[in-house]
Amino acid sequence: MYIRRTTIKSRKDGKQYYTYRLVQSERTAKGVSQHTLINLGTAFSLPRDQWPELSSRIQEIISGQQSFFKISEEIEELAQNYAARIIHAQHKNKAENNKPDYREVDVDSLEMFRPRSVSCEHVALEAFVFLKLGEELKALGFNGPQLAAATGTIIGRMCQPGSELATHYWLQNVSGLGELIDYDFNKINLYKMYKISDQLLNNKEAIENHLYLQEKNLFEFQETITLYDLTNTYFEGSSKANKLGKRGHSKEKRSDCPLVTLALVLDSSGFPKRSKVFEGNVSEPSTLKKMIVGLERKNLSQELFKPSKATIVMDAGIATEDNIKWLRENSYPYIVVSRKHHREFNEDEAVVVKQDNDCTVKVQKIIDSENDEVLLYCHSTKREKKEQAINDRFTIRFEKAVSKLESGLHKKGCLKKYDKVLEKIGRLKQQYSKAAKHYKIEVSKNEKNGNAVKILWTRQTLADTKDSLPGVYCLRTTHMEFDEATLWRTYTMLTDLEAVFRSLKSELGMRPVFHQITKRVTGHIFISVIAYHLIHSIRYRLKKTGINSSWSDLRKQLAGQNRVTVSMQCRNDNVVHVRKSTRPESRQQKIYSALGLSSLPGRTMKTTIKKIKVVP
């Protein structure tokens, strides 16, 4: 076995280049015969003086022999990859035979090598096929290698979230996804991983449209609610080449980094309809019209968004008077969190919509005939405890600071000058603004020496406000016909959107972003959105069988099943290589059964390496 270099002249420009092959010579009845085992390609860069060492190590692996010499990490990695390709290629040339195959083997010679994870990949690939995403990508012009790269990138984001660099390493060295789709990811260089991100982004609208319509048809859900919200994420670097990277208020407390903002529109079942990336410092209210108008573009299916049916649900950050006016003018019904400070709640007129050990929620419905709206004042015992605890904490701190200031008026070395005392009180009001607004503070002055002599403070909580009615919040809606329970439950669907953002950030590697170019930043986020489509379809189906685990928990449960190659020496000196998946654990089998999947991902591959007379 040796490596042969062949010189080839290009038909395009006439330039010469080299291609490399692994060749084996063997003696036959007709003499010495040479045949190519595998093509090593044109990018083979191992120094020529190391070729014999690599060839020898490959021969040892496929023959089931141990090496008695120290092998470098580079040689071992190449040898393992090429040996696996040889075994796979020889298996492909043989017809499948399901008959029992009994052999005499040396048990002590048994070896297991090249473990690759397949469980999470198996589930993710099934969702990829279930939503017919591969068919859509083919229709969009993706060729074989591009489709494989897109599959690897998306499933990599689901199973091992990270950058394109990390995904590239995972596909080549950790995952068995290539075996499940019959593609060798060692053929893909890192540059192609970045290019496939660009290609997916270029077809963003068509992909999002296809996925949502597939989900709608497969799961037969009714399109009655549209949820809209934004989040932002940070990325590393100066962002000079990223037009969207702006500094703003970070929801992850990373305002020291450039930010980008992701807007999502979901239906009531949690399936994304559309996504868009905005500048990091974008004003939340200004994005609503752009997103909804975008859903009605002519190049998108008219089935995607029906304003006559869908109700817009938003939180207070987006529910400005201008946005509500725009929704009314365009006949969009809505349920939003009111920005108004006025609060009221009459417990005698309220209806219980939720009651359990943790929380009781009561709502009072009031018709606002002047604005043709329903105002729903909601009181949550859990929210009341939280808000009261926050208010008490700031109140105690404020009163303690004012009391300390007052007691210092009669101590040596403390602040006494009237103007300075007023200035200090002003700073305390600024520091504890939530508590200070409820207090009236009076400072008495000694006209002779200009010192403050006494500080008096009294609490005066404003009536019919958030502070006087902790735990009460107000919803506004145009749905006059809905009852209290329906309105409240519809609003609580916004928590599903918050769960989506948490999943995108913590489970799907959306943060931080390391790219510096606008399209690469947007592409990285879009891959996470595609991955979420697949994950949500998996969890949606699992929930129907009673499995309510988060995706991160599902990944933990699926971890542990691998594909391995078992090598055995036979009595006749042949070597048998069997590559198959390990048997799943019960926790994995439960998930497979719920999704109707095979318990052994991939085919069982059996290859016999016969003893041959090798020509040195």
Side-chain angles (χ1 to χ4, degrees):
M1 184 181 293
Y2 63 94
I3 296 171
R4 175 184 291 169
R5 187 181 77 173
T6 305
T7 304
I8 298 177
K9 182 179 288 188
S10 173
R11 293 181 180 180
K12 291 183 179 180
D13 52 19
K15 292 183 178 180
Q16 290 186 346
Y17 65 93
Y18 300 115
T19 184
Y20 302 85
R21 292 178 292 166
L22 187 64
V23 179
Q24 182 165 279
S25 300
E26 59 180 291
R27 295 189 186 278
T28 66
K30 296 181 180 180
V32 177
S33 172
Q34 295 180 341
H35 63 276
T36 300
L37 296 175
I38 53 170
N39 191 341
L40 304 180
T42 59
F44 182 73
S45 58
L46 190 70
R48 191 166 195 143
D49 61 337
Q50 295 181 332
W51 291 3
E53 185 181 1
L54 174 61
S55 303
S56 176
R57 181 58 187 143
I58 295 171
Q59 180 69 55
E60 288 174 348
I61 293 172
I62 64 175
S63 301
Q65 300 174 5
Q66 292 286 342
S67 176
F68 296 102
F69 303 98
K70 186 176 180 180
I71 306 296
S72 69
E73 184 178 345
E74 181 183 14
I75 295 290
E76 183 64 25
E77 183 177 350
L78 288 172
Q80 292 284 352
N81 288 332
Y82 293 144
R85 286 175 56 186
I86 293 170
I87 294 170
H88 182 72
Q90 294 194 14
H91 169 79
K92 274 189 171 183
N93 297 330
K94 297 180 180 181
E96 294 289 340
N97 185 356
N98 294 324
K99 294 181 180 180
D101 185 6
Y102 300 106
R103 313 243 185 146
E104 287 188 86
V105 300
D106 178 4
V107 176
D108 292 334
S109 70
L110 187 143
E111 285 187 335
M112 290 183 290
F113 57 92
R114 200 174 174 79
R116 294 291 185 269
S117 63
V118 288
S119 50
C120 183
E121 293 90 332
H122 186 37
V123 172
L125 182 60
E126 189 274 342
F128 190 91
V129 174
F130 183 74
L131 294 178
K132 299 181 179 179
L133 183 53
E135 295 179 20
E136 176 66 13
L137 295 181
K138 284 183 181 178
L140 292 172
F142 285 62
N143 60 31
Q146 289 171 340
L147 179 58
T151 305
T153 298
I154 295 167
I155 293 179
R157 188 63 57 85
M158 297 170 68
C159 298
Q160 191 68 32
S163 63
E164 282 76 1
L165 176 63
T167 300
H168 183 251
Y169 177 86
W170 177 79
L171 288 170
Q172 291 189 341
N173 299 282
V174 179
S175 173
L177 177 62
E179 297 181 55
L180 301 185
I181 64 174
D182 197 20
Y183 187 82
D184 183 7
F185 281 109
N186 287 292
K187 296 178 182 178
I188 294 182
N189 58 36
L190 182 58
Y191 176 71
K192 290 182 179 178
M193 298 293 288
Y194 291 120
K195 291 298 291 182
I196 208 63
S197 170
D198 299 341
Q199 195 171 353
L200 288 169
L201 183 61
N202 291 339
N203 294 279
K204 176 178 179 292
E205 290 185 347
I207 292 171
E208 286 189 326
N209 189 26
H210 166 82
L211 286 172
Y212 183 68
L213 290 180
Q214 281 295 119
E215 291 156 350
K216 184 179 178 183
N217 293 332
L218 288 168
F219 300 115
E220 299 180 342
F221 53 78
Q222 296 298 313
E223 187 180 11
T224 57
I225 303 295
T226 294
L227 309 174
Y228 180 63
D229 205 353
L230 299 93
T231 190
N232 56 36
T233 188
Y234 65 95
F235 57 96
E236 305 293 344
S238 61
S239 76
K240 291 181 179 179
N242 180 11
K243 297 177 181 178
L244 299 177
K246 305 292 182 182
R247 295 188 184 274
H249 174 68
S250 172
K251 296 185 177 182
E252 303 160 294
K253 311 299 182 184
R254 288 304 305 268
S255 298
D256 59 312
C257 297
L259 307 172
V260 288
T261 299
L262 171 66
L264 272 184
V265 178
L266 279 77
D267 79 325
S268 57
S269 299
F271 290 99
K273 292 183 179 180
R274 187 165 182 259
S275 65
K276 186 173 179 62
V277 178
F278 292 99
E279 295 87 350
N281 61 352
V282 69
S283 170
E284 288 191 345
S286 67
T287 62
L288 177 67
K289 182 178 177 180
K290 296 179 185 177
M291 287 293 285
I292 294 182
V293 170
L295 286 169
E296 297 174 311
R297 290 180 182 176
K298 294 180 181 180
N299 61 332
L300 292 178
S301 168
Q302 293 299 312
E303 293 296 315
L304 189 62
F305 191 73
K306 297 180 179 179
S308 59
K309 292 174 59 179
T311 297
I312 310 296
V313 183
M314 305 177 296
D315 69 7
I318 309 169
T320 61
E321 289 299 327
D322 288 341
N323 278 341
I324 291 175
K325 180 181 178 182
W326 184 85
L327 289 173
R328 283 177 168 277
E329 290 173 350
N330 290 273
S331 303
Y332 294 111
Y334 57 81
I335 300 176
V336 302
V337 180
S338 175
R339 284 184 155 203
K340 297 177 180 178
H341 295 292
H342 176 76
R343 296 285 188 275
E344 61 181 88
F345 187 74
N346 187 336
E347 192 166 352
D348 295 333
E349 298 178 5
V351 176
V352 177
V353 293
K354 177 187 176 182
Q355 189 168 23
D356 55 32
N357 295 331
D358 289 334
C359 179
T360 298
V361 179
K362 296 181 179 180
V363 298
Q364 178 188 0
K365 184 178 178 181
I366 298 176
I367 305 297
D368 183 358
S369 54
E370 183 179 345
N371 296 311
D372 292 327
E373 285 185 333
V374 169
L375 300 178
L376 199 70
Y377 289 99
C378 311
H379 176 264
S380 164
T381 55
K382 188 174 183 179
R383 185 167 182 158
E384 179 182 4
K385 290 177 182 177
K386 180 180 177 181
E387 291 181 356
Q388 193 64 57
I390 294 172
N391 291 337
D392 289 346
R393 183 168 72 250
F394 284 108
T395 297
I396 292 171
R397 290 177 181 176
F398 179 71
E399 288 190 359
K400 185 177 179 180
V402 176
S403 178
K404 182 179 179 181
L405 182 63
E406 201 276 338
S407 63
L409 298 179
H410 310 289
K411 295 180 181 179
K412 185 178 180 180
C414 293
L415 199 63
K416 295 182 179 64
K417 287 295 182 182
Y418 180 79
D419 292 341
K420 293 296 182 180
V421 169
L422 292 181
E423 184 179 337
K424 179 63 176 178
I425 291 174
R427 288 178 180 172
L428 291 176
K429 286 183 176 181
Q430 183 182 27
Q431 184 177 358
Y432 302 105
S433 56
K434 288 185 177 181
K437 61 186 177 182
H438 303 302
Y439 287 86
K440 181 181 179 181
I441 301 178
E442 297 178 350
V443 182
S444 301
K445 180 180 180 182
N446 185 330
E447 298 295 339
K448 292 182 179 180
N449 56 18
N451 289 343
V453 293
K454 194 170 186 178
I455 302 175
L456 294 175
W457 61 94
T458 54
R459 184 176 175 86
Q460 298 177 336
T461 303
L462 299 176
D464 297 332
T465 64
K466 177 181 176 181
D467 302 297
S468 62
L469 293 169
V472 174
Y473 55 96
C474 180
L475 305 179
R476 299 172 60 181
T477 178
T478 53
H479 281 296
M480 309 289 257
E481 74 282 7
F482 284 6
D483 61 23
E484 292 90 340
T486 302
L487 288 171
W488 182 79
R489 289 195 180 95
T490 303
Y491 158 71
T492 58
M493 290 177 182
L494 271 179
T495 58
D496 295 334
L497 195 59
E498 295 171 0
V500 173
F501 286 143
R502 285 195 299 271
S503 178
L504 283 168
K505 291 180 178 181
S506 62
E507 298 180 328
L508 290 174
M510 194 180 85
R511 65 177 180 189
V513 182
F514 293 95
H515 299 291
Q516 300 297 308
I517 304 173
T518 303
K519 66 177 182 179
R520 293 282 162 79
V521 171
T522 309
H524 177 89
I525 294 174
F526 181 53
I527 291 169
S528 292
V529 173
I530 297 175
Y532 180 77
H533 273 277
L534 273 62
I535 286 172
H536 193 66
S537 70
I538 293 168
R539 295 189 63 224
Y540 191 86
R541 293 156 66 193
L542 289 177
K543 283 180 180 179
K544 292 184 176 181
T545 66
I547 300 175
N548 297 298
S549 303
S550 66
W551 179 244
S552 58
D553 285 341
L554 288 172
R555 279 207 315 251
K556 292 176 184 176
Q557 294 169 33
L558 288 168
Q561 188 181 26
N562 297 316
R563 279 181 68 80
V564 295
T565 297
V566 180
S567 175
M568 297 164 284
Q569 288 276 0
C570 298
R571 180 183 284 275
N572 60 4
D573 289 335
N574 290 342
V575 179
V576 179
H577 299 282
V578 180
R579 185 156 184 83
K580 66 184 299 183
S581 299
T582 58
R583 185 176 298 173
E585 302 284 348
S586 59
R587 65 180 188 278
Q588 297 158 346
Q589 184 61 59
K590 182 180 178 181
I591 296 171
Y592 291 160
S593 298
L595 295 172
L597 293 178
S598 165
S599 59
L600 296 174
R603 298 177 299 150
T604 297
M605 301 172 58
K606 182 174 62 178
T607 305
T608 301
I609 305 295
K610 295 182 178 180
K611 183 179 181 181
I612 56 176
K613 297 179 180 179
V614 181
V615 179

